[in-house]
Amino acid sequence: MKTKCKFLIKQSLKKKINTKWFKIANLLVLIFLIGIVNIDRIIRFFGGDFNEVTKIYVIDEANAYSLFESNFNSLKESLEDLGNYEIVSTTKRAEELKGEIENTKDFVLQILPSPTEYLTAQVISYDAISMITEQLLQTSLNTIKSHYVLETTGIKEEEIAALTSNVSIHKEITNPEGQTSENQELISMGLILIFIVPFFLLITMLTQMIGAEINDEKSTRSMEIIISNVSPQAHFASKIIASTSFVLIQALILVVDVAVALLVRLAFTKSIGLSGETSAQVLKLVQGIQSSGVLSLLLRGLPIMLLLFLFSFVLYAILAGVLASMTTNIEDYQQLQTPLMVLLAVGYYIAVISSTFDGALFIKILSYFPMLSFLIAPVLYLLGQTTILELFISTLICGGFTFFVFHYGLRIYKVGILNYSSRDLWKKIFKSMKEK
Amino acid sequence: MLKVEHVTKYYGTILAVDDLSFEVKKGEIFGLLGVNGAGKTTTFRMITGLLDKNSGTITLNGKPIDYSVTDKIGFLTEERSLLTKLTVKEQAIYYGVLKGMQEQDILEKLDVLLKRFHIEEYKERKIKELSKGNQQKIQFITSIINDPDLLILDEPFSGLDPINVALFMDVIKELKEKGTSIIFSTHRMEHVEMFCEKLVVLVRGKSVLSGNLKQIKKDYRKKNIHIEAEHMDLEKLKEVKGVLEVIKTETEVVVKIASEENVNDVFNYVKKCEGVTKFVVEDASLNEIFLEKVGVMYENEM
């Protein structure tokens, strides 16, 4: 029976993977991902107004031109995706330049000394300048202001740094399990992206796979030949293992696809050039995770989390298999699995909002609910809202419930897979649950 | 040898098979007959272990039927139970391995069988691309690829033209010669008559007729007389003692009589007629026996 079960797993996987559609779909996904990761390059390749060089005519009345030019250029180089600029020093008056910048994106920057603010600036443009350009100007001018003050007032650099820096708040948390991050929401979103979204997608894929395959075998009546040679237990197990393996392989392919897409970008740009804003956010997220202690929580809780994910995969696979066995065609199955998908969406939504409702009792209770726990419990644990023990309890409950569902689900499955009529379906199901 | 003893099956409160008993010996062809819903498929499903029986025993070569003996059973279902997205080769491997065979043995056997059924060119074709008749051949091939001790054929000739029916029959006879016990169901009584030795007729799950086909026919008292004559008064013929019915066809007259004892009465009348070229006494056909037995049961239950 073991050999037959292995064969069924192999066949089931082969049927899913060894098809031209699987290859085409994954090739398209790869192309799509390469496109997404390199979208800015693609946009630039096709050209547009953004290719034009914007001239910045600088009227320097504060004797700060050279400082501004070097600062702006170095900023522009590090943020190369943000646009093309050319800085032009001019002795012309602003009124004269207004004619030159008419109907162009060029603009005039007047740097002025100020008795109260040390330094001010005025921008004259034909149309409003973009937000990014304004931010670039602001950052450059803020930087040169410090230098300008140093040069003009004699205040020491350390004094300026001390004055302008944020007040540091030292935090001491006495609960070793309950360390929270100062960027809790940001971390929560990051964790959701890393853990929850892929598993949410994989489980959706898993339930579809099992449903389609069982319905195919039922509708062609090949189920009768299969079950006359292999026990329903072995058949059921083969479906669960094959579908779970398939989605894991698919997930691995997606990871490889992302890596290829990043390598393609690297090959063209010699750096994985995330835009300035994105890289700053990523950096902030990584720093946030490190400083919050989430990383150590993750490492400590990872084995339990993986077990919880595994139990949940099996649980959803069992439920999908049971539902598929009860139906006679894929349309009926899709109708029947809708509540399951809604439940999954509820779990996802609660996981997303859990950082907003710190310590919410209702969410904590839901984190023990087997079909939702794999979405909520890890997030609560990593946010420091629950302990590792609570995560373990959620996993135990999920494991126990999975065993319970397998035990009773198999009884329904045995009856369902050879049932071709929807007449008295629920009666048959309840009756089958009582039979050993 | 397959032994079915006092098997009963209920679907809820509905009695599907009622105290059914029969046995199929090695190298024997057994017919399971009945109208739709008589309990044939339920019986097959119980034999293959797909359904649990409420009472009774089913054994193959003395062992109860479970997954330790199903490798030696071949099963052809009434509907096409093929995975239509697979190729013929993949399908044969799929079912063959589930029967405990090695892939190499399956491929060797498949080549022989495809040739036997004149469809060797379809080996790499997908099942869904084949005609209904060829799909039936593939289904048949997959049911005998494991050289079964017991072969169960549920309506094996459906969708086949007469040439292919003859081909199937030849293969079934070959299997019988090799010692395979064969049990099959069909609505076509002439197929049963052609090669069946023993049979059971089911009506609403109950056996109404069973035994050796020759004996059943012998025991059935009614006979048919086939007559060819230039001039014959059919109205007078109907008045002869024991004549139940007179049917005139294009070439002959068929006289149905109540028993063999009435043959002489008919003969005495016929010999007086002019230009008699044929007078043949035959047993009633299985179809007639079936219709009468099943018809009586139906009438009694209505």
Side-chain angles (χ1 to χ4, degrees):
Chain A
M1 195 58 76
K2 236 183 217 175
T3 316
K4 291 179 185 179
C5 188
K6 271 186 201 166
F7 174 77
L8 283 176
I9 295 167
K10 199 177 120 192
Q11 280 296 312
S12 184
L13 270 174
K14 198 176 150 194
K15 205 158 70 176
K16 293 179 182 86
I17 292 170
N18 198 18
T19 65
K20 63 179 173 193
W21 296 114
F22 176 79
K23 287 162 196 161
I24 290 170
N26 275 294
L27 187 67
L28 287 174
V29 168
L30 177 64
I31 294 167
F32 180 70
L33 281 171
I34 291 173
I36 289 285
V37 172
N38 296 282
I39 192 73
D40 53 333
R41 304 279 152 197
I42 295 166
I43 292 168
R44 280 183 193 288
F45 178 77
F46 286 99
D49 288 348
F50 54 81
N51 274 343
E52 289 173 21
V53 177
T54 304
K55 279 184 183 170
I56 306 171
Y57 296 102
V58 181
I59 303 170
D60 180 22
E61 292 178 20
N63 200 22
Y65 175 76
S66 58
L67 263 175
F68 171 76
E69 188 190 29
S70 62
N71 259 291
F72 189 88
N73 283 339
S74 64
L75 195 63
K76 194 183 75 178
E77 265 172 41
S78 66
L79 306 171
E80 55 177 310
D81 295 339
L82 298 180
N84 288 328
Y85 301 94
E86 184 188 344
I87 297 167
V88 181
S89 176
T90 180
T91 51
K92 288 180 185 174
R93 287 187 301 116
E95 285 303 314
E96 285 175 62
L97 289 165
K98 276 183 184 173
E100 284 185 37
I101 62 170
E102 199 173 315
N103 288 321
T104 68
K105 287 169 77 181
D106 301 342
F107 62 90
V108 178
L109 173 70
Q110 223 175 340
I111 305 172
L112 305 163
S114 162
T116 51
E117 297 175 48
Y118 296 108
L119 210 63
T120 59
Q122 189 185 357
V123 172
I124 303 162
S125 60
Y126 184 71
D127 289 315
I129 60 167
S130 70
M131 200 179 281
I132 289 170
T133 310
E134 192 175 335
Q135 279 179 354
L136 274 173
L137 287 178
Q138 188 76 62
T139 312
S140 301
L141 289 167
N142 283 345
T143 313
I144 67 166
K145 186 178 171 181
S146 307
H147 294 282
Y148 183 78
V149 172
L150 280 172
E151 283 173 12
T152 54
T153 62
I155 299 173
K156 287 178 185 169
E157 200 172 340
E158 296 80 30
E159 287 175 308
I160 291 181
L163 273 170
T164 52
S165 67
N166 293 329
V167 175
S168 59
I169 303 168
H170 176 70
K171 290 183 215 165
E172 189 182 332
I173 299 158
T174 52
N175 177 8
E177 302 284 347
Q179 295 199 6
T180 54
S181 162
E182 59 188 42
N183 297 311
Q184 208 171 53
E185 203 166 330
L186 193 66
I187 291 167
S188 171
M189 290 312 291
L191 293 174
I192 286 161
L193 280 172
I194 295 163
F195 285 104
I196 309 306
V197 175
F199 284 100
F200 178 80
L201 292 173
L202 288 177
I203 284 198
T204 310
M205 199 184 254
L206 177 86
T207 51
Q208 287 295 327
M209 283 284 158
I210 293 186
E213 201 171 327
I214 291 173
N215 267 294
D216 184 39
E217 286 174 3
K218 272 191 83 173
S219 59
T220 57
R221 301 275 175 143
S222 49
M223 190 66 92
E224 297 199 7
I225 303 295
I226 297 166
I227 297 301
S228 65
N229 294 290
V230 183
S231 69
Q233 288 97 316
H235 184 255
F236 195 24
S238 75
K239 291 286 166 250
I240 293 165
I241 295 167
S243 298
T244 308
S245 306
F246 173 77
V247 289
L248 292 176
I249 289 167
Q250 182 66 74
L252 201 67
I253 290 171
L254 285 174
V255 171
V256 172
D257 283 352
V258 171
V260 170
L262 290 172
L263 282 173
V264 168
R265 186 174 180 93
L266 189 68
F268 282 108
T269 61
K270 292 180 183 169
S271 72
I272 301 173
L274 294 166
S275 70
E277 210 170 332
T278 317
S279 58
Q281 277 189 356
V282 170
L283 197 68
K284 198 176 172 187
L285 179 68
V286 172
Q287 283 171 346
I289 290 171
Q290 274 177 339
S291 65
S292 66
V294 168
L295 211 59
S296 63
L297 278 177
L298 179 67
L299 290 174
R300 215 177 328 151
L302 197 63
I304 301 171
M305 275 188 243
L306 289 176
L307 197 63
L308 176 62
F309 290 138
L310 185 70
F311 283 150
S312 301
F313 266 131
V314 176
L315 174 61
Y316 272 89
I318 293 167
L319 287 169
V322 171
L323 292 181
S325 75
M326 286 158 63
T327 55
T328 48
N329 56 58
I330 193 70
E331 290 81 10
D332 286 351
Y333 172 72
Q334 276 166 346
Q335 295 284 342
L336 205 57
Q337 64 144 12
T338 306
L340 211 61
M341 293 296 103
V342 171
L343 198 67
L344 208 56
V346 167
Y348 174 73
Y349 178 69
I350 289 168
V352 170
I353 62 164
S354 57
S355 66
T356 320
F357 296 97
D358 190 10
L361 184 65
F362 180 67
I363 296 177
K364 237 180 192 181
I365 292 168
L366 286 181
S367 75
Y368 294 115
F369 188 76
M371 292 168 75
L372 302 175
S373 55
F374 83 103
L375 291 162
I376 305 169
V379 173
L380 292 189
Y381 167 71
L382 292 172
L383 286 171
Q385 292 186 26
T386 52
T387 61
I388 197 162
L389 182 68
E390 286 167 303
L391 178 70
F392 185 67
I393 292 168
S394 292
T395 309
L396 271 185
I397 292 172
C398 186
F401 187 71
T402 304
F403 179 77
F404 174 81
V405 170
F406 183 78
H407 185 70
Y408 285 97
L410 189 61
R411 292 180 184 185
I412 301 172
Y413 188 79
K414 276 182 191 172
V415 174
I417 47 173
L418 295 170
N419 174 56
Y420 301 103
S421 160
S422 55
R423 202 175 157 203
D424 293 333
L425 182 67
W426 294 103
K427 207 172 152 187
K428 286 177 201 167
I429 287 163
F430 288 122
K431 198 182 161 217
S432 65
M433 283 176 80
K434 288 177 199 164
E435 284 170 6
K436 283 192 178 175
Chain B
M1 184 178 73
L2 173 74
K3 210 167 186 178
V4 175
E5 291 173 293
H6 306 292
V7 167
T8 300
K9 173 70 188 172
Y10 281 93
Y11 289 118
T13 53
I14 299 163
L15 181 60
V17 175
D18 184 9
D19 195 30
L20 181 64
S21 297
F22 62 85
E23 59 178 52
V24 188
K25 290 186 179 132
K26 199 170 186 275
E28 201 169 64
I29 303 179
F30 186 91
L32 192 63
L33 312 179
V35 294
N36 294 330
K40 303 188 296 288
T41 303
T42 299
T43 305
F44 288 153
R45 282 178 159 204
M46 285 191 287
I47 293 171
T48 52
L50 290 172
L51 276 180
D52 293 330
K53 54 205 172 298
N54 291 98
S55 62
T57 54
I58 302 173
T59 54
L60 178 66
N61 300 330
K63 289 179 185 172
I65 300 221
D66 58 24
Y67 288 111
S68 64
V69 296
T70 50
D71 284 359
K72 296 313 289 174
I73 299 175
F75 183 27
L76 184 137
T77 57
E78 188 177 357
E79 277 125 353
R80 305 267 184 280
S81 50
L82 297 167
L83 292 160
T84 53
K85 289 170 195 161
L86 299 184
T87 63
V88 169
K89 185 176 139 186
E90 287 166 342
Q91 180 70 81
I93 291 172
Y94 197 105
Y95 284 169
V97 172
L98 293 186
K99 290 281 176 201
M101 292 176 77
Q102 294 296 315
E103 214 169 301
Q104 191 54 41
D105 298 338
I106 296 165
L107 292 173
E108 281 169 18
K109 195 78 201 292
L110 178 67
D111 287 337
V112 174
L113 288 168
L114 287 175
K115 205 170 175 186
R116 180 74 181 86
F117 283 89
H118 317 301
I119 49 169
E120 51 269 58
E121 68 272 28
Y122 296 139
K123 191 177 171 183
E124 301 293 342
R125 290 268 286 272
K126 287 199 171 176
I127 306 275
K128 63 182 172 189
E129 293 167 5
L130 305 182
S131 68
K132 204 175 166 189
N134 283 331
Q135 284 185 4
Q136 183 70 348
K137 285 182 181 178
I138 299 303
Q139 201 185 354
F140 188 68
I141 286 171
T142 56
S143 67
I144 61 170
I145 201 157
N146 59 327
D147 286 326
D149 287 347
L150 172 69
L151 177 61
I152 300 166
L153 305 169
D154 197 355
E155 299 290 345
F157 308 118
S158 69
L160 294 176
D161 56 50
I163 294 168
N164 281 314
V165 168
L167 178 64
F168 268 51
M169 283 182 172
D170 287 345
V171 177
I172 292 168
K173 281 174 189 165
E174 284 166 19
L175 287 164
K176 169 191 149 67
E177 295 305 316
K178 282 184 193 170
T180 306
S181 305
I182 299 160
I183 173 167
F184 83 108
S185 76
T186 179
H187 293 113
R188 306 282 298 272
M189 296 304 146
E190 68 270 26
H191 293 154
V192 181
E193 280 186 284
M194 281 167 93
F195 65 172
C196 219
E197 288 141 335
K198 289 201 303 187
L199 59 89
V200 161
V201 177
L202 292 178
V203 175
R204 299 194 199 282
K206 199 168 180 61
S207 166
V208 292
L209 184 68
S210 65
N212 187 288
L213 179 62
K214 280 181 189 162
Q215 195 59 45
I216 286 169
K217 284 187 145 192
K218 203 175 168 189
D219 293 348
Y220 190 70
R221 293 174 60 81
K222 291 176 187 174
K223 304 286 169 192
N224 295 332
I225 305 171
H226 297 256
I227 308 163
E228 279 180 28
E230 280 175 21
H231 298 289
M232 193 161 51
D233 188 341
L234 298 184
E235 290 308 312
K236 279 191 178 173
L237 183 60
K238 282 178 189 170
E239 287 165 14
V240 174
K241 190 186 168 194
V243 172
L244 300 171
E245 197 181 357
V246 176
I247 303 161
K248 190 174 181 345
T249 68
E250 286 296 314
T251 54
E252 61 179 13
V253 171
V254 181
V255 182
K256 294 182 183 293
I257 56 170
S259 88
E260 205 165 1
E261 292 154 12
N262 303 120
V263 172
N264 278 339
D265 298 320
V266 177
F267 185 72
N268 288 336
Y269 170 74
V270 172
K271 70 182 181 187
K272 292 175 204 162
C273 300
E274 290 174 20
V276 177
T277 54
K278 183 180 176 185
F279 186 91
V280 178
V281 181
E282 281 183 355
D283 287 336
S285 69
L286 185 59
N287 202 39
E288 285 172 282
I289 301 170
F290 180 83
L291 281 173
E292 187 176 300
K293 290 284 177 187
V294 173
V296 167
M297 272 297 283
Y298 264 68
E299 278 167 21
N300 287 346
E301 286 188 14
M302 292 298 267

